[in-house]
Amino acid sequence: MSRLKTYWKRGIKQKIILLILLVLLALTIFILRDSIQPALLWMRKYLFVGLVFFIILFIGLQLVRAAESWRKMVWTVLSFGLVGGIWYALFPFGMYNYMETYAVYNSLNKEEISTLPLTRNERIQPWNNILTMAYESIGETEEVSPPQLVRIDGENRWTMAIQPSKDYFYQRAKDNTEELFSVSSTTPFPKFAEENRIDKTFSLGESLAWSRNTYNAVVQKFGLLDMFCLEPDEVYYMKDDNGQWVQVVNLIRWKGFFFPYPTFGGVMVLQAGDHGINDYFERLLLGKGEYISPSEMQKYPYLKGQNTLSEKISRVQAESLKFLAGFTDPLPWNMKTAIKIPQLEADQNQQPFVTDFDFTDVKQDTYNGLYHWFGLEPIGVERTSLTISVMIPADGTEKVFYYNHGKRKEGYAGVSAMPAKVIESKKEYDWTANAPVEFRPYIKDILGKRRLFMLSTIVAKRKIASDTDEPKTEAQFDGAATPDLALVDVQYKDVVWLDAKKPSTWENAIMTQMGESWGLTVNSNIKDTETIKKDTTSNQ
């Protein structure tokens, strides 16, 4: 510092040089603020913990200075020991996550419902099958963005971008994102060509380099305070209210001081367009996108009931329901109602599952459409009952609906128990090469009663060849145009196998197979739904 002062005092020339260097440094920091932002966000998240550590060490240092020689070591060990103990309790032991989740629970606008909503527009193919089939339709220097289930023109569709591959830097720096895939989620044989392969140019993309990267461009748009509390997460491709394709980036806003927790922070909407010199300077200096806050999203019909909520947020909201019985219930000596989000090892897409729900006869103050669904289970490994069904509005509406199966003692099997039920029902399958995945809810009114099932798709495990002498690795599921579907009755644990090509026959197949289990007599030769209902009614 003294050398700088000396250099400054030498004359006008030195002052001009220092001012130019200072301006260049400030300009560099401003342009590279997207690279600095993660560090600012990290500081904001752990500011309270850092202050506690600083205060303890500062007081410890003062005590060390004032102490006699033999006590200096005692105060030093105590100070660092206390910091180390607090760090271990907060992070390796998990108390920081515990307190963060409790803060989320206290902020929830939660509501228990007494009736499960119906499902509709059931998707056939699991997430990873869609991803695999998309890669079967592109070239060497291309890749696809993660598929997202969104509503397009009133239909639920998987959308993803065809963008330059991260393995080819030249294309990432030079090319645009020029095509999109948009395929129906309700068909067993999605087509990745013709009308489902859409020409649309975006100068930004998730795989593009430097300022043309979607996340970098969005961060550049943040204001100073937003740099400390906002972060972009997932990118969606959908049509706006004018029928134009746009990129929509959901945002996570961190709230709270002591233990900051994630909340929905709105979205940033990016318009289509080619790369140009004006676009370049706009990205560098101003950033890209139109920010729409959560309160303003209801003004845009294409964002109402849409899937824009970050799964990171919905997961921690669902997990926070472990505090339903109080702050201390999830602690090791209690855990009477402690729950977890089940993780299936064979599944490459974990909960939540984006599901289309009909709340018409359940709640009148919410919409019918896309929700994030969770099937929560007891925290123990051996306990696999379905404890709570959680439905979180996918458009970021501040509401969490849950149905408590455990409190009603319904005895339903949870998602963790489902693979074994499916495998046991078809012993002739080669289950070393196949697996049931993505057990998602299927809720219908059948024979006068609302019934809950778990719908799963059977997929083939595909080994990915290696370019080296290393053995092949199991990485993807193979997508089939006619996948087998298994439906599990969570109460009776029976499995019904369905024809993916004929959804109209599913209810008949369920009634024919499950009739006796439900205490009804159903003629298996009858194919008409109404005839079956009349037959079962006459036998009651």
Side-chain angles (χ1 to χ4, degrees), residues 82-147:
L82 183 58
V83 168
I86 294 174
W87 173 84
Y88 182 84
L90 287 176
F91 299 105
F93 188 69
M95 284 306 297
Y96 186 92
N97 178 262
Y98 190 92
M99 295 303 298
E100 177 189 320
T101 308
Y102 185 66
V104 171
Y105 177 79
N106 285 332
S107 71
L108 282 186
N109 182 14
K110 53 190 175 297
E111 182 174 346
E112 183 175 0
I113 55 178
S114 57
T115 305
L116 285 170
L118 298 172
T119 57
R120 60 184 192 178
N121 301 319
E122 274 72 25
R123 59 185 178 89
I124 306 298
Q125 296 284 3
W127 181 89
N128 209 76
N129 274 18
I130 296 295
L131 184 65
T132 302
M133 288 188 280
Y135 270 102
E136 293 168 353
S137 306
I138 60 175
E140 168 62 26
T141 60
E142 298 172 325
E143 69 177 35
V144 295
S145 62

Side-chain angles (χ1 to χ4, degrees), residues 35 91 314 337 436 458 460 529:
S35 300
F91 299 105
S314 62
T337 60
I458 311 303
T529 303

Side-chain angles (χ1 to χ4, degrees), residues 38-244:
L40 299 179
L41 185 64
W42 184 88
M43 290 170 55
R44 183 258 184 276
K45 289 166 64 176
Y46 299 105
L47 177 62
F48 171 69
V49 175
L51 286 174
V52 170
F53 289 168
F54 174 79
I55 291 171
I56 292 173
L57 292 177
F58 179 79
I59 294 174
L61 179 62
Q62 301 307 311
L63 293 172
V64 167
R65 286 179 175 176
E68 298 177 3
S69 58
W70 67 273
R71 291 179 179 174
K72 291 182 183 292
M73 181 61 68
V74 174
W75 286 119
T76 301
V77 171
L78 286 176
S79 299
F80 282 96
L82 183 58
V83 168
I86 294 174
W87 173 84
Y88 182 84
L90 287 176
F91 299 105
F93 188 69
M95 284 306 297
Y96 186 92
N97 178 262
Y98 190 92
M99 295 303 298
E100 177 189 320
T101 308
Y102 185 66
V104 171
Y105 177 79
N106 285 332
S107 71
L108 282 186
N109 182 14
K110 53 190 175 297
E111 182 174 346
E112 183 175 0
I113 55 178
S114 57
T115 305
L116 285 170
L118 298 172
T119 57
R120 60 184 192 178
N121 301 319
E122 274 72 25
R123 59 185 178 89
I124 306 298
Q125 296 284 3
W127 181 89
N128 209 76
N129 274 18
I130 296 295
L131 184 65
T132 302
M133 288 188 280
Y135 270 102
E136 293 168 353
S137 306
I138 60 175
E140 168 62 26
T141 60
E142 298 172 325
E143 69 177 35
V144 295
S145 62
Q148 299 287 359
L149 187 62
V150 297
R151 188 188 70 252
I152 304 292
D153 297 329
E155 181 185 2
N156 296 338
R157 301 182 71 86
W158 293 106
T159 63
M160 62 214 87
I162 305 173
Q163 55 195 11
S165 171
K166 293 178 182 176
D167 297 328
Y168 295 88
F169 183 79
Y170 178 73
Q171 283 80 4
R172 291 177 57 211
K174 179 181 72 72
D175 294 346
N176 295 314
T177 298
E178 296 184 343
E179 290 182 291
L180 305 175
F181 281 134
S182 174
V183 297
S184 173
S185 66
T186 58
T187 178
F189 26 80
K191 182 174 64 173
F192 291 81
E194 298 176 355
E195 71 277 5
N196 292 339
R197 187 163 182 157
I198 302 155
D199 292 327
K200 182 57 65 173
T201 299
F202 288 92
S203 63
L204 302 173
E206 296 168 77
S207 68
L208 299 187
W210 300 319
S211 66
R212 299 180 66 191
N213 181 274
T214 297
Y215 302 99
N216 294 347
V218 167
V219 171
Q220 297 281 69
K221 190 73 173 181
F222 291 167
L224 180 60
L225 294 179
D226 290 337
M227 299 285 281
F228 289 89
C229 57
L230 277 183
E231 66 171 307
D233 190 25
E234 298 165 305
V235 180
Y236 304 79
Y237 294 86
M238 62 185 70
K239 288 184 179 181
D240 64 13
D241 293 327
N242 297 318
Q244 299 299 313

Side-chain angles (χ1 to χ4, degrees), residues 524-539:
S524 60
N525 294 320
I526 298 175
K527 302 300 181 184
D528 180 72
T529 303
E530 292 302 320
T531 307
I532 293 177
K533 289 181 179 178
K534 290 177 182 177
D535 181 69
T536 54
T537 302
S538 64
N539 282 281

